[in-house]
């Protein structure tokens, strides 16, 4: 096949793959994605940073590599492979690429080397040099410095800093699940790109928020942050102006939230839905933003994106067989996995439900939310269909929840 590389700096090319039609990744809905790889030409050696997924993506990678070598008027010979992270979306094509360039050196973190063999069982005969923060790879006129980045977002993750140009190859960190025809974040509206980056952070990176804060401090103390002129992640758009995404990550990882409340509910016969609408009215009456999701049709990945920068949530589900309506369960597991409390954000939660007689949903939802790091602010339990008194109580609960989070 034929596919073009994109030059992003002198001797540096994007050679990744476009996955236009994928709609689900890591269990959440996406509008396509990219598997970004980068070819760096030094005077003496050429390095490929990261690799691609399956489903024919390797053909795109090979075609773009050939195009980059042709543009540089160099022999098609890769000398160095650097694998920043070994999850399958970045490494399925690696062994085939190594076999194509058998004399190349292979670098990964210690965990990365271990994970490659445990995932593929074909790397026992591949010599992998393990690297950590402080190590560097000299390509001749181009120096690639290694920065260990465990849990951003796997234990094997690491960054590569191209010192002379200030390009940070960050793998999953700072990425977005987008598949667009232009390569830079700045080619599109800032709001659009940052929203995609926030969704990526909320669903993939938030668990590593404590590590991210430590890494930011480490890189700042070492003077590396001020040297970064471009961030080239492994998914989505490249940041020519890193300041915007660095600031956003710093805020998200530090629990900076808006005067916003995310309302999430499910319903059988619309009684719980009616409570949700009245709670929203109470929230809005205090000038606080309300965002509403119904789990019959909305995706968990969208819900948690709004929860990330909300100061509180209101969560509702009817009682079914003495437990919460089951469809809310996937969201509860999702919240427990993500651990928003790790961002240092203390999020209040209002739990509400409609029951027929014995109830039981609220107690279970309370326990699950507390386990996921939320603080229970209040509850509201209605019997069968709400009447005007219950509507008034729901409205007031929304008012009180809003007041509890409003900025001074």
């Amino acid at each position: 096949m034929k596919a073009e590389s994109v030059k992003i700096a002198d001797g540096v090319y994007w050679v990744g793959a476009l996955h236009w039609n994928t709609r689900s990744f890591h269990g959440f809905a996406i509008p396509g994605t990219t598997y970004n790889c980068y070819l760096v030409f030094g005077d003496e050696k050429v390095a490929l940073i990261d690799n691609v997924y399956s489903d024919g993506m390797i053909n795109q990678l090979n075609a773009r590599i050939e195009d980059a070598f042709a543009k540089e008027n160099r022999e098609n010979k890769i000398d160095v492979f650097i694998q920043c992270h070994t999850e399958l979306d970045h490494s399925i094509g690696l062994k085939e690429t190594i076999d194509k360039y058998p004399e190349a050196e292979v670098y990964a973190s210690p965990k990365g080397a271990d994970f490659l063999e445990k995932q593929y069982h074909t790397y026992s005969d591949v010599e992998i040099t393990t690297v950590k923060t402080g190590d560097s790879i000299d390509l001749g006129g181009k120096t690639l410095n290694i920065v260990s980045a465990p849990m951003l977002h796997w234990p094997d993750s690491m960054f590569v800093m191209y010192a002379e140009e200030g390009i940070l190859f960050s793998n999953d960190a700072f990425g977005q699940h987008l598949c667009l025809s232009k390569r830079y974040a700045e080619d599109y509206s800032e709001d659009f790109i940052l929203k995609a980056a926030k969704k990526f952070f909320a669903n993939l990176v938030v668990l590593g928020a404590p590590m991210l804060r430590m890494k930011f401090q480490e890189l700042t103390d070492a003077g590396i942050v001020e040297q970064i002129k471009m961030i080239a992640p492994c998914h989505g758009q490249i940041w020519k102006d890193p300041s915007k995404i660095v600031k956003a990550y710093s805020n998200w990882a530090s629990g900076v939230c808006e005067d916003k409340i995310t309302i999430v509910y499910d319903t059988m016969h619309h009684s719980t839905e009616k409570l949700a609408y009245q709670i929203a009215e109470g929230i809005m009456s205090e000038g606080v933003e309300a965002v509403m999701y119904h789990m019959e049709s909305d995706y968990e990945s969208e819900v948690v994106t709004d929860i990330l920068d909300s100061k509180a949530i209101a969560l509702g589900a009817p009682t079914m067989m003495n437990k919460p309506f089951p469809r809310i369960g996937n969201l509860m597991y999702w919240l427990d996995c993500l651990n928003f409390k790790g961002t240092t954000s203390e999020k209040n939660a209002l739990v509400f439900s409609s029951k027929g007689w014995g109830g039981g949903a609220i107690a279970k939802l309370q326990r699950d939310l507390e386990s996921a790091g939320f603080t229970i602010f209040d509850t509201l339990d209605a019997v069968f269909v709400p009447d005007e008194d219950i509507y008034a109580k729901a409205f007031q609960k929304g008012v009180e929840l809003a007041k509890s989070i409003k900025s001074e």
Side-chain angles (χ1 to χ4, degrees):
M1 70 174 296
K2 183 175 177 58
E4 289 199 2
S5 59
V6 177
K7 187 175 183 178
I8 65 171
D10 184 31
V12 183
Y13 292 82
W14 173 85
V15 291
L18 303 171
H19 203 169
W20 294 100
N21 296 324
T22 185
R23 292 295 179 265
S24 177
F25 202 83
H26 288 99
F28 64 91
I30 60 172
T33 194
T34 62
Y35 312 110
N36 297 337
C37 309
Y38 302 94
L39 204 60
V40 183
F41 289 86
D43 295 337
E44 300 168 8
K45 297 179 179 180
V46 179
L48 179 67
I49 300 175
D50 289 311
N51 214 280
V52 296
Y53 206 24
S54 56
D55 300 326
M57 300 294 114
I58 191 71
N59 295 328
Q60 286 191 50
L61 173 65
N62 289 335
R64 295 190 207 282
I65 287 173
E66 291 176 9
D67 180 68
F69 274 103
K71 288 173 178 174
E72 288 290 306
N73 196 26
R74 296 267 293 263
E75 176 192 359
N76 189 339
K77 180 178 179 292
I78 296 176
D79 305 286
V80 173
F81 293 108
I82 303 175
Q83 197 65 33
C84 294
H85 170 42
T86 64
E87 192 172 0
L88 272 65
D89 55 316
H90 303 299
S91 66
I92 280 185
L94 178 60
K95 189 61 165 61
E96 182 177 335
T97 316
I98 290 173
D99 291 343
K100 189 174 180 179
Y101 304 94
E103 296 180 2
E105 304 166 298
V106 183
Y107 295 87
S109 68
K111 285 285 188 183
D114 180 48
F115 287 179
L116 282 171
E117 174 58 26
K118 288 179 176 176
Q119 291 180 97
Y120 297 104
H121 311 292
T122 57
Y123 280 82
S124 58
D125 61 344
V126 177
E127 184 177 346
I128 301 176
T129 301
T130 59
V131 288
K132 61 184 184 308
T133 297
D135 293 334
S136 62
I137 301 167
D138 184 6
L139 304 180
K142 288 184 171 64
T143 308
L144 302 179
N145 294 325
I146 305 300
V147 179
S148 300
M151 299 315 300
L152 299 174
H153 74 124
W154 266 26
D156 67 329
S157 296
M158 65 184 194
F159 301 158
V160 174
M161 180 74 168
Y162 167 27
E164 287 81 5
E165 289 284 346
I167 301 176
L168 182 69
F169 300 100
S170 61
N171 199 264
D172 276 320
F174 308 110
Q176 327 93 49
H177 278 309
L178 293 170
C179 191
L180 304 171
S181 61
K182 297 178 182 180
R183 299 275 56 81
Y184 297 108
E186 290 75 12
D187 291 326
Y188 300 90
S189 81
E190 183 177 319
D191 287 346
F192 171 69
I193 298 298
L194 284 176
K195 182 178 180 181
K198 184 172 79 165
K199 180 177 179 179
F200 191 96
F201 184 98
N203 286 276
L204 289 172
V205 185
V206 71
L207 181 64
M211 182 61 70
L212 181 59
R213 293 194 299 275
M214 292 171 58
K215 186 58 59 176
F216 269 139
Q217 192 61 54
E218 175 190 323
L219 296 179
T220 300
D221 293 344
I224 293 175
V225 170
E226 63 188 31
Q227 298 173 25
I228 299 173
K229 299 177 183 177
M230 177 185 290
I231 294 179
C234 264
H235 290 294
Q237 305 306 105
I238 298 166
W239 302 90
K240 289 196 292 186
D241 179 1
S243 62
K244 294 182 178 64
I245 190 60
V246 168
K247 180 180 179 181
Y249 259 56
S250 179
N251 287 341
W252 296 332
S254 302
V256 176
C257 294
E258 302 174 9
D259 284 356
K260 180 173 81 172
I261 297 173
T262 298
I263 305 166
V264 193
Y265 75 94
D266 213 335
T267 195
M268 279 192 289
H269 300 300
H270 303 289
S271 292
T272 306
E273 182 175 69
K274 291 172 182 176
L275 296 176
Y277 286 5
Q278 284 297 286
I279 290 167
E281 292 295 332
I283 291 168
M284 292 185 293
S285 74
E286 287 295 314
V288 170
E289 181 182 1
V291 183
M292 181 84 72
Y293 288 100
H294 178 195
M295 297 317 300
E296 180 181 54
S297 53
D298 290 324
Y299 293 105
E300 290 82 2
S301 53
E302 299 290 348
V303 175
V304 300
T305 302
D306 268 312
I307 289 176
L308 175 65
D309 60 357
S310 293
K311 290 182 179 177
I313 68 169
L315 179 72
T319 294
M320 178 176 171
M321 301 177 188
N322 305 314
K323 297 291 190 299
F325 194 48
R327 204 159 47 198
I328 205 78
N330 198 35
L331 175 65
M332 302 312 295
Y333 275 117
W334 207 290
L335 292 175
D336 197 38
C337 285
L338 297 179
N339 186 22
F340 285 107
K341 197 170 184 178
T343 67
T344 74
S345 171
E346 296 284 344
K347 299 183 188 296
N348 286 340
L350 167 64
V351 185
F352 60 99
S353 178
S354 172
K355 63 184 180 183
W357 49 93
I362 284 182
K364 171 64 173 167
L365 292 174
Q366 279 186 262
R367 291 193 299 270
D368 290 346
L369 283 172
E370 288 172 338
S371 175
F374 292 82
T375 299
I376 304 303
F377 176 77
D378 205 347
T379 63
L380 174 63
D381 209 357
V383 179
F384 285 116
V385 179
D387 59 15
E388 289 301 322
D389 286 343
I390 292 295
Y391 283 151
K393 287 181 181 180
F395 183 94
Q396 190 59 32
K397 297 286 187 184
V399 169
E400 292 167 0
L401 183 63
K403 286 181 175 179
S404 79
I405 60 96
K406 285 173 72 172
S407 297
E408 295 296 332

